[in-house]
């Protein structure tokens, strides 16, 4: 019987120790769930282990084929550029390995169910959903397609669930920011708002969302504001990563390229069409200047390997 490809999980990285450990725990749990294949995970930046170390671990365990799944909600610079660039480098470091690349997790119905649970945990039981406005807060990106994916998640979360509205904001790199998003909710007449972080695990940025929410709420006592928790290592997330792995193994990758700045000239981003991908870091992740451990590994933007 042919050995199934190993599973490589690629994460953003965070300076938050609890967030990094949540990722590592999640990878270990995937390995326990699937003892039939090698499973390893690594980060693009900011926290150990780096992605290259995870590839080396899989190779040392005998893997020659693997499927890489980005543990990310939207396809932004990391998923479109940094991970393919890192994988291309690993292919040079480990001649003979082959890989397929899965798609990000996206606004999958399973994740929407978890978000709905997080809202239910956060609201006052006496609140009528029809009087509750949700502010879904994404990471934020310089990629308009990635930001649009958060709006798509917000719309799908609103559909059929009876909330007054689901508005959208971002914690870094994109407008509106959290205070502006809350201002918008208030201007639209919201009396009760739940701020819902669109993040997988705890970290610097979700903590910032909560802090900014508390500051805004203190300045606006006339609006009832609650903070919901991040998605977390729920069974639905474990199942979804496995679904993305199976898609990658089968080659069933339905990547959206219709609004990708590297393929399509979008207003204000025309200079990005056809650009090679350079790994980068998020200046807002930690408040420190950070010199990444990737330099000069350009990789043409491609969704197929």
């Amino acid at each position: 019987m042919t050995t199934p490809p190993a599973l490589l999980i690629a994460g953003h990285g965070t300076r938050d120790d609890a967030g990094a450990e949540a990722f590592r725990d999640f990878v270990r749990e995937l390995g326990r769930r699937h003892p039939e294949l090698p499973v390893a995970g690594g980060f693009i930046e900011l926290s150990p282990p780096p992605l290259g170390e995870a590839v080396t671990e899989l190779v040392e365990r005998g893997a020659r084929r693997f499927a890489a799944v980005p543990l990310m909600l939207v396809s932004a610079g990391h998923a479109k550029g940094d991970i393919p660039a890192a994988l291309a480098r690993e292919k040079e470091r480990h001649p003979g390995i082959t890989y397929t690349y899965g798609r990000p997790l996206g606004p999958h119905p399973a994740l929407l169910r978890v978000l709905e649970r997080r809202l239910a945990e956060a609201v006052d039981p006496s609140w009528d959903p029809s009087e509750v406005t949700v502010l879904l807060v994404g990471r934020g990106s310089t990629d308009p397609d990635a930001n649009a994916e958060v709006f798509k998640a917000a719309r799908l979360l609103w559909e059929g669930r009876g909330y007054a509205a689901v508005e959208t904001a971002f914690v870094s790199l994109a407008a509106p920011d959290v205070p502006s998003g809350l201002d918008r909710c208030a201007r639209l007449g919201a009396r009760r708002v739940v701020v819902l972080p669109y993040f997988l695990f705890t970290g610097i940025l979700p903590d910032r969302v909560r802090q900014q929410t508390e500051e805004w709420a203190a300045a606006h006592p006339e609006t009832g504001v609650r903070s919901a928790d991040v998605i977390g290592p729920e069974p639905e997330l474990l199942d979804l990563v496995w679904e993305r792995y199976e898609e990658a193994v089968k080659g069933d990758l339905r990547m959206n390229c219709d609004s990708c700045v590297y393929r399509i000239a979008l207003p204000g981003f025309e200079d990005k069409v056809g650009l090679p991908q350079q790994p980068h870091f998020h200046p807002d992740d930690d408040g420190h200047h950070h010199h990444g451990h990737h330099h000069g590994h350009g990789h043409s933007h491609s969704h197929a390997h």
Side-chain angles (χ1 to χ4, degrees):
M1 181 177 142
T2 308
T3 310
L7 170 55
L8 174 68
I9 307 295
H12 272 285
T14 173
R15 285 201 189 279
D16 181 78
D17 291 340
E21 189 55 29
F23 172 91
R24 292 187 288 259
D25 276 346
F26 186 82
V27 171
R28 285 190 285 266
E29 179 58 27
L30 274 168
R32 284 191 288 271
R33 276 185 162 216
H34 301 284
E36 73 280 8
L37 77 161
V39 178
F43 295 105
I44 287 295
E45 61 186 3
L46 299 174
S47 39
L51 197 62
E53 202 172 290
V55 173
T56 299
E57 178 190 331
L58 292 173
V59 169
E60 287 174 351
R61 289 165 66 182
R64 288 294 172 268
R65 297 184 305 138
F66 58 89
V69 175
L71 198 68
M72 297 168 188
L73 290 166
V74 300
S75 189
H78 277 321
K80 288 180 179 178
D82 293 349
I83 298 171
L87 292 175
R89 186 179 63 244
E90 293 310 310
K91 210 160 182 258
E92 292 170 8
R93 284 180 53 202
H94 302 282
I97 68 169
T98 60
Y99 65 87
T100 54
Y101 182 36
R103 59 188 177 131
L105 306 173
H108 192 281
L111 294 185
L112 295 172
R113 285 196 299 274
V114 180
L115 291 173
E116 191 173 11
R117 279 208 302 278
R118 295 291 174 256
L119 286 172
E121 293 161 3
V123 298
D124 187 304
S126 68
W127 289 5
D128 182 336
S130 68
E131 297 175 355
V132 173
T133 295
V134 178
L135 183 64
L136 185 71
V137 181
R139 172 178 291 267
S141 171
T142 55
D143 184 333
D145 184 42
N147 296 332
E149 283 290 306
V150 182
F151 276 79
K152 181 176 181 178
R155 177 69 199 194
L156 289 170
L157 183 62
W158 181 80
E159 292 276 355
R161 288 181 173 86
Y163 293 105
V166 180
E167 295 294 320
T168 309
F170 301 96
V171 73
S172 71
L173 300 174
D177 61 14
V178 175
S180 299
L182 285 163
D183 286 344
R184 174 177 166 80
C185 292
R187 283 200 304 272
L188 290 170
R191 308 295 297 170
R192 290 166 174 166
V193 179
V194 179
V195 177
L196 177 62
Y198 194 44
F199 286 83
L200 293 174
F201 303 128
T202 55
I204 303 281
L205 296 181
D207 287 349
R208 188 180 299 170
V209 173
R210 187 174 286 266
Q211 180 188 343
Q212 291 178 352
T213 298
E214 290 170 358
E215 289 169 358
W216 190 93
H220 299 80
E222 71 283 0
T223 306
V225 183
R226 296 286 180 91
S227 286
D229 283 333
V230 295
I231 289 168
E234 295 294 285
E236 289 94 338
L237 185 58
L238 288 154
D239 291 342
L240 177 53
V241 170
W242 186 249
E243 187 177 316
R244 292 289 184 254
Y245 166 82
E246 291 188 315
E247 284 178 355
V249 170
K250 292 173 188 167
D252 179 24
L253 298 176
R254 292 157 291 180
M255 184 70 81
N256 164 38
C257 297
D258 294 341
S259 53
C260 174
V261 288
Y262 302 108
R263 291 174 180 258
I264 307 296
L266 297 181
F269 296 87
E270 293 87 351
D271 59 331
K272 292 203 171 198
V273 176
L275 270 188
Q277 292 302 282
Q278 299 291 344
H280 72 291
F281 71 97
H282 288 292
D284 290 334
D285 264 359
D286 53 48
H288 300 94
H289 290 294
H290 165 70
H291 298 288
H293 46 263
H294 308 308
H295 294 285
H297 295 285
H299 185 65
S300 296
H301 179 57
S302 169
H303 295 316
H305 293 281

